[in-house]
Amino acid sequence: MATSNFVLGGLASVGATFFTNPIEVIKTRIQLQGELAARGSYVEPYKGIVQAFVTVAKNDGMAGLQKGLAPALLFQFIINSFRLSIYSAAVEKRWMHNKNGEVSYGLGLMWGAIGGVVGSYCSSPFFLVKTQQQSQAAKLIAVGYQHTHTSMIDALRKIYIKNGIPGLWRGSVAALPRAALGSGAQIATFGKTKALLIEHDLVTQPTCNSFCAGLIAGSIMSVAITPPDVITTRLYNQGVDMQGRGLLYKGWLDCCVKILRSEGVHGMYKGFWANYLRIAPHSTLVLLFFDELIVMREKYDLHY
């Protein structure tokens, strides 16, 4: 059961990522433009989501909207395999229920955060490469530090040659708050919302119930995750010296302080709407696909 949940969690996220990767590219570019510059003091090649889509397609081609897809698929498979299998185990073993037998939001937050932290750390090299590939752009619309990777394998090879294994996991610890906040909020909201919708006889049809709960969970997640997501994007994309030290930021706290000093609170919420438009449908699709895959497993008795 645990093995099948692990695989199904990964497959659910892969299906969703094909649809949401383009908005992830836009989100990454918006978060990087005007890095450590006061608001209004820099050129903005990306002025809004729709305009950004057109700009990327015009300058990088339609393929530019799927930059970083390979590492994004691997990142999502690994992180969601851990997140959703741990969530599923917590539900099945009633670790998310209180003494009254009800789904506890607090316990959901805890188990969601645990799954997110474990998955995030294990998948960190692919998030690193995904971010760097998604930021690569034509000179006219380039933002942030520009890496020169030709593929995911090329990026992993270059990073390993320059900084070894530690280089592949650079920023992994700093990314854990992002994973804990986002995953905790998503998993806890999903489980609790599903239970409430059924309890109050609002949405009882299984597929619709999963869809509505996933949409609400994604909305909550986007609010919680944007500031740490901006920090993680900046840390992963910055250039490093031969010792693997960041050229702009020393770590999570240093990055947070510098953004607030230079860009204000607005800087911490750069790309919020792109993040929302990515996370809400992605969360909905992942959780819906996961529940549907579990139904298929039970129907055809595919336990392994």
Side-chain angles (χ1 to χ4, degrees):
M1 182 73 73
T3 303
S4 64
N5 285 344
F6 187 88
V7 174
L8 293 181
L11 291 176
S13 65
V14 166
T17 302
F18 277 107
F19 294 98
T20 59
N21 191 62
I23 192 68
E24 172 83 356
V25 172
I26 299 304
K27 184 265 306 181
T28 299
R29 303 277 182 92
I30 292 175
Q31 288 180 339
L32 288 171
Q33 72 176 356
E35 189 168 14
L36 299 185
R39 191 174 182 181
S41 66
Y42 54 88
V43 176
E44 294 183 73
Y46 310 103
K47 298 178 175 62
I49 297 171
V50 175
Q51 181 268 350
F53 267 103
V54 174
T55 298
V56 172
K58 181 180 178 181
N59 291 274
D60 292 334
M62 292 301 292
L65 291 169
Q66 285 290 14
K67 282 195 173 182
L69 179 61
L73 291 173
L74 290 171
F75 165 71
Q76 289 292 342
F77 183 90
I78 296 170
I79 191 172
N80 282 294
S81 291
F82 282 104
R83 288 191 328 114
L84 296 178
S85 61
I86 289 174
Y87 156 73
S88 184
V91 171
E92 291 170 4
K93 298 181 184 297
R94 301 187 70 80
W95 295 337
M96 283 177 58
H97 296 70
N98 57 28
K99 295 179 181 178
N100 298 323
E102 300 172 338
V103 175
S104 167
Y105 191 80
L107 290 173
L109 278 173
M110 183 187 76
W111 286 110
I114 290 172
V117 165
V118 174
S120 175
Y121 187 79
C122 293
S123 60
S124 185
F126 299 109
F127 192 97
L128 173 70
V129 173
K130 173 190 75 69
T131 302
Q132 294 183 1
Q133 283 193 299
Q134 289 176 340
S135 69
Q136 286 182 231
K139 187 175 182 180
L140 187 65
I141 59 169
V143 291
Y145 187 89
Q146 292 293 292
H147 299 270
T148 56
H149 308 314
T150 57
S151 67
M152 178 183 72
I153 300 301
D154 177 63
L156 292 170
R157 181 183 61 81
K158 284 179 179 176
I159 294 169
Y160 176 76
I161 290 174
K162 185 175 182 180
N163 300 119
I165 294 295
L168 292 172
W169 262 268
R170 175 173 65 85
S172 57
V173 175
L176 298 186
R178 172 190 182 276
L181 283 170
S183 183
Q186 181 193 38
I187 294 299
T189 304
F190 182 66
K192 187 67 175 178
T193 303
K194 283 184 68 177
L196 287 173
L197 290 174
I198 293 174
E199 179 185 338
H200 294 284
D201 201 30
L202 295 173
V203 185
T204 56
Q205 201 278 332
T207 301
C208 292
N209 178 267
S210 297
F211 180 86
C212 293
L215 184 60
I216 294 171
S219 299
I220 298 298
M221 183 184 181
S222 63
V223 174
I225 205 175
T226 298
D229 189 54
V230 171
I231 292 171
T232 303
T233 297
R234 298 284 182 90
L235 288 172
Y236 276 143
N237 191 67
Q238 70 173 336
V240 295
D241 60 22
M242 293 306 296
Q243 285 71 47
R245 294 174 299 200
L247 300 180
L248 292 178
Y249 314 107
K250 297 176 183 177
W252 198 91
L253 183 60
D254 181 56
C255 182
C256 180
V257 171
K258 284 182 176 177
I259 291 174
L260 288 173
R261 283 178 177 172
S262 303
E263 305 171 52
V265 176
H266 167 77
M268 300 296 288
Y269 275 91
K270 277 186 176 178
F272 171 78
W273 288 113
N275 218 7
Y276 176 80
L277 291 175
R278 179 191 71 86
I279 289 173
H282 189 272
S283 173
T284 304
L285 290 170
V286 167
L287 297 171
L288 174 62
F289 289 166
F290 183 61
D291 273 1
E292 291 300 302
L293 286 169
I294 288 178
V295 170
M296 289 177 60
R297 181 192 65 191
E298 299 299 327
K299 181 178 179 179
Y300 296 105
D301 195 27
L302 298 175
H303 296 283
Y304 47 93

